[in-house]
Amino acid sequence: MAFKTIVGLEIHVELSTKHKMFCNCPNEYGAEANTQTCPICLGLPGALPVVDKEAVEYAIRAGIAFNCEISNVIRMDRKNYFYPDLTKGYQISQADLPLCDGGYVEIELEEGTKKISLNRIHIEEDTGKQTHTDEGLSLLDFNRCGVPLIEIVSNPDMNSAEEARLFLDNLKDTLKYIGVSDVRMEEGSLRCDVNINIVDKERGLKSNISEIKNLNSFKAVVKAIEFEEKRHKDLLEAGDNSEKETRRWDETKGETVLMRKKFGASDYRFAFDGDIPPVDVSDEWIEEIRKSLPELPHHKKERFMNSYGLSSYDAGVLTQSKELSLFFEEILKYIDDPNLVSNWIMGDVLRRLKENEQEIEDIKIASKDLADLIILVRDGKINNNTGKKVLREMFDTGKTPDLIVKEQGLVQISDEGALSGIIEEVLNNNEQSIIDFKNGKDRAIGFLVGQIMKASKGKANPQVVNKLLMEEINKR
Amino acid sequence: MVTKEEVLHIAEIAMLSFSEEEVDIFTEKFQQVIDFVDTIKEVNTEDVEPTFSINDDTQMLKDYEGDEVLTREEVLQNTKDHQYGYFKILRVVE
Ligand SMILES: [Zn+2]
């Protein structure tokens, strides 16, 4: 049967502003409980909220980065609900008039680029944090209460778990690039809900939408979508259907479980927040923010492909983080060979970072030093294997390649006089290999080259060795 | 018409419980309130712009350098129950 999966995502992102959304409490993660609150975010009587400029600027940055239409006015609404994570009895959010309307994110699939359209991005405040104890109590910390959030709502344009993952990757990279959030899922600064249902095209059937909450990693998102795909499909095939309901992902069980939800949409009684008059957002300000944005990852990727002639894959990897792309372009200032530099970074540099569980930000190597190393290898001063060894040393010590080469005497020996002495000695000690080679065993050459490299402590220039070795063997 | 079920639902999300008798009283009172508010529909609002706030002024955004926080002692002084610097309440699960 032809089933089609339909996925939409809602992503909450904490903005890394200096202050909270409506008060001047610092916006910092990890402080002691209830040390970052004030009359406004605690909802004490008489306190009046005022919208934070930086928070609006960050939300507009995100709106521009995701191609949204930015509204010229900010209106805030109250979402009423009775729950202890907010003391006011309502959350300040946006209902009918989001700050950013529409927009899209592009993802790269094997069959080409796919546009995932967005419904909206709106601003709202985060809630406090509850810790439930075994004794049937809840402990409340309001430090997070009032932290600025954007909620990014996609349209149901994704058709697989993989598409959802690519969408989230792109979203996360871009948010980090434009510097509006540290997007750490483990600290809760990026949270994601999934809406999913499936369509049976042949029979014209549709399952009812499940909303999945409590997804705290991209892996959990993928697993939850796959789980629900199957659950909905099994129900439809059995002539049944899923309920329109909210479920949560249970990581230990590896399945979604039903959440009892008392609140329906109309129970929130959305209404304008009379404490917050509308705020004008001028076109000039939006334009100013647009100009201040760094080059976005997908634009940079295209530029890397067009002006450096890199493959789509290489350009994609190099532009995934802002730091890596800057490092790459820094090196190009010293050595004008994008493909060679790309090969070094994509190969040995990223491999070493991965082994060390480091990010590019942690690298000890200056861009000029890596450029010098690449030049040493390119110009034949040291051979390729020695180059890799030197890079390893640079990673560990941060020393310059010149110093390492000098200290360890690694300069490649290309001098024919010096090499022929070594070659002669190795041949004299390995008469059998010469006979083997002359009897057609090509492998014997590899063995002899290995012996020569060993005798030269890895410093011999392989091309010169090959040439001299053949000459010498043919003489014998 | 306001139904008994609607009143029970509103009581539930407000985390309140009532006797059978009280629910009947509330159902009637809710209906009275709604009937009263419905009279506003008699006003002709054709060609009238919606009112979003009591004055039509717009507000500035805040752009403040320093922090303004209460100490934890100040924060907790009005609560009866607290522990390890947290507000302590009976567990509520949605
Ligand atoms: Zn505050």
Side-chain angles (χ1 to χ4, degrees), chain A residues 20 23-25 36-42 145, chain B residues 68-69:
Chain A
K20 291 189 184 178
C23 61
N24 287 316
C25 284
Q36 303 196 333
T37 63
C38 72
I40 296 170
C41 54
L42 286 174
C145 182
Chain B
E68 289 176 323
V69 286

Side-chain angles (χ1 to χ4, degrees), chain A residues 43-55:
Chain A
L44 300 189
L48 280 175
V50 182
V51 184
D52 188 67
K53 186 177 178 191
E54 199 181 19

Side-chain angles (χ1 to χ4, degrees), chain A residues 19-20 23-24 32-34 37 50-53 75 82 136 138-140 260 262 267 272 277-278 280, chain B residues 9 12-15 52 58-59 61-62 64-70 72 75 85-87 89 91 94:
Chain A
H19 293 120
K20 291 189 184 178
C23 61
N24 287 316
E32 275 184 62
N34 294 310
T37 63
V50 182
V51 184
D52 188 67
K53 186 177 178 191
R75 289 217 177 94
F82 195 63
S138 293
L139 298 176
L140 307 176
R260 211 176 85 84
K262 292 188 223 158
D267 291 327
F272 283 108
D280 287 327
Chain B
H9 173 65
E12 194 194 6
I13 61 176
M15 297 178 195
F52 294 120
T58 53
Q59 197 181 21
L61 294 163
K62 75 177 167 74
Y64 191 74
E65 279 301 318
D67 298 337
E68 289 176 323
V69 286
L70 296 173
R72 189 193 261 174
V75 170
Y86 293 82
F87 290 87
I89 57 165
R91 180 170 179 166
E94 196 193 358

